[in-house]
Amino acid sequence: MRRRDFIASTTGTAAAVVPVVKQRRSVGMTDVARASAGMNLLVEADDRQGGHASLATAALEARAKVLELQQRNASERVRRALYALAAEFTTVAAWSCIDLRDLDKARTYLHESSTFAGLSQDPPTAMRVWVNMAMLAYQRKNWPEQLAAAQAANASPAARRDPFFGSMGRVRLALAHSSLGDLRAARRSLGAAQENYRKAAEDERPRWTAFYGPAELNHLAAIILNHNGEPAEAEAMAHRSLAKIPAEFQRNRALATCQLALAQLRQGEPEQATATAGTVFTIMEGAPLPGRMRTLIGDFHRDLFRLAPSTTYARDWADRMRDEWSRT
């Protein structure tokens, strides 16, 4: 066979086995906006009820669709925006697992999210990942890792450029120092977080940041002060938080109420604390309690029965908690 005929015959065979790829339409910022609207719905669902399995599933399904869009023609700007969305959807799934206390799965998702955030080159998205890594380490009681993640959040470009994100990073540092028992450093970082927030301008920021404001900062201050053995100040901060939490943040209101009950209990007011803790179930309106909240309620239950095991209100509380636990 002549060389020219051989080349012609093999080229024809190759063309026959390679499928003809149909050109799909390119992706634009309109597609990004549509996917972002879906993200906002998931964030709103988390605000109301906290993390749950169906929320994590929905976030991962949305991520798969975003990654499918990456296979189409797109500008660099659109690709970065899509990677930012992939990171955000993955972080929602991770956060749901943290709230459910499925911590190993949360860790896997956060590692995936950090990859997408890096590809997006979007500072607020990276900040969100570091904050969630700090929260995960806190739930795992890995205090050195919590501190390292908080330091990364605090040193991130978003925190350096915007006092709002700087406040978010500083309060994570305060929580980490408190976990490690460094009460002075915790106080110092908390003060810096409060000062940074006062300097923050009313700029437009991603929807996921809506949870962070004076109410959340005071809620986190109550956690830090409870850890620091300062329950009277923790109670004051919890009251300030509850006065400002928006109505749609149902889960956050219930968590702040848990901190208030713990602060009251640690001041030797078990009956008042029990009445406060009971309102957590009312706030959640029969919705399943996220794992983090169940852990806090469990902490309260143990402390209550150490302080006032034979009281009528403690026995009534135990009956109420048993009923709520079985229902949820």
Side-chain angles (χ1 to χ4, degrees):
M1 180 180 291
R2 289 180 299 176
R3 181 174 180 273
R4 186 176 59 188
D5 294 338
F6 175 78
I7 292 172
S9 65
T10 54
T11 303
T13 302
V17 298
V18 175
V20 177
V21 178
K22 183 179 179 181
Q23 183 64 41
R24 291 177 288 182
R25 72 172 180 84
S26 60
V27 180
M29 292 306 293
T30 301
D31 300 283
V32 173
R34 192 177 299 114
S36 295
M39 164 62 65
N40 293 343
L41 291 174
L42 294 182
V43 173
E44 288 165 12
D46 177 64
D47 290 343
R48 289 192 304 273
Q49 295 184 1
H52 46 279
S54 59
L55 182 62
T57 299
L60 294 174
E61 288 174 352
R63 180 187 72 173
K65 292 176 182 176
V66 166
L67 293 176
E68 192 277 331
L69 292 176
Q70 283 283 16
Q71 305 307 310
R72 304 183 188 181
N73 293 331
S75 67
E76 181 181 353
R77 177 189 176 213
V78 170
R79 289 208 183 281
R80 288 184 181 180
L82 289 172
Y83 277 126
L85 275 172
E88 289 197 26
F89 281 122
T90 311
T91 304
V92 168
W95 169 243
S96 291
C97 291
I98 292 172
D99 229 9
L100 291 165
R101 290 191 62 78
D102 189 349
L103 303 184
D104 290 338
K105 192 173 287 186
R107 190 180 184 90
T108 298
Y109 290 149
L110 280 178
H111 285 167
E112 294 173 0
S113 185
S114 66
T115 299
F116 295 132
L119 292 170
S120 78
Q121 301 179 50
D122 181 61
T125 300
M127 180 77 182
R128 186 180 190 184
V129 175
W130 286 124
V131 166
N132 277 266
M133 284 187 171
M135 296 171 80
L136 173 62
Y138 173 76
Q139 293 297 316
R140 295 172 70 93
K141 302 185 185 302
N142 187 334
W143 313 136
E145 185 174 302
Q146 181 192 6
L147 178 61
Q151 288 170 331
N154 194 53
S156 68
R160 291 199 305 270
R161 296 173 189 171
D162 184 347
F164 176 89
F165 289 113
S167 175
M168 196 180 288
R170 289 284 185 170
V171 80
R172 289 293 149 194
L173 271 180
L175 285 160
H177 288 311
S178 179
S179 297
L180 287 163
D182 191 343
L183 308 189
R184 292 178 66 182
R187 271 279 192 180
R188 188 167 57 249
S189 294
L190 177 59
Q194 292 165 331
E195 180 62 24
N196 273 17
Y197 189 82
R198 282 192 287 269
K199 294 177 180 177
E202 291 289 334
D203 293 338
E204 185 176 348
R205 298 182 180 91
R207 171 63 181 82
W208 67 266
T209 64
F211 81 96
Y212 192 74
E216 179 64 9
L217 185 52
N218 288 332
H219 172 209
L220 295 173
I223 296 172
I224 292 161
L225 293 165
N226 265 330
H227 280 176
N228 285 10
E230 301 172 86
E233 289 191 62
E235 180 179 8
M237 285 295 181
H239 278 300
R240 289 184 196 175
S241 176
L242 289 166
K244 293 185 177 180
I245 294 177
E248 64 269 22
F249 288 89
Q250 184 181 19
R251 184 267 316 277
N252 288 16
R253 177 170 291 279
L255 286 170
T257 301
C258 288
Q259 291 299 324
L260 175 59
L262 287 167
Q264 291 170 337
L265 190 62
R266 289 164 186 172
Q267 292 177 83
E269 301 173 3
E271 188 168 8
Q272 176 61 54
T274 303
T276 299
T279 64
V280 169
F281 304 115
T282 305
I283 292 167
M284 292 302 290
E285 297 177 344
L289 299 186
R292 281 192 312 142
M293 198 178 300
R294 292 170 74 94
T295 298
L296 281 174
I297 289 292
D299 291 343
F300 175 84
H301 181 83
R302 285 190 297 274
D303 288 350
L304 173 63
F305 273 82
R306 187 165 60 247
L307 288 173
S310 58
T311 58
T312 301
Y313 55 82
R315 290 195 298 271
D316 290 345
W317 158 262
D319 292 340
R320 172 82 183 274
M321 193 178 84
R322 190 160 42 246
D323 291 343
E324 296 287 348
W325 244 240
S326 62
R327 186 170 65 177
T328 60

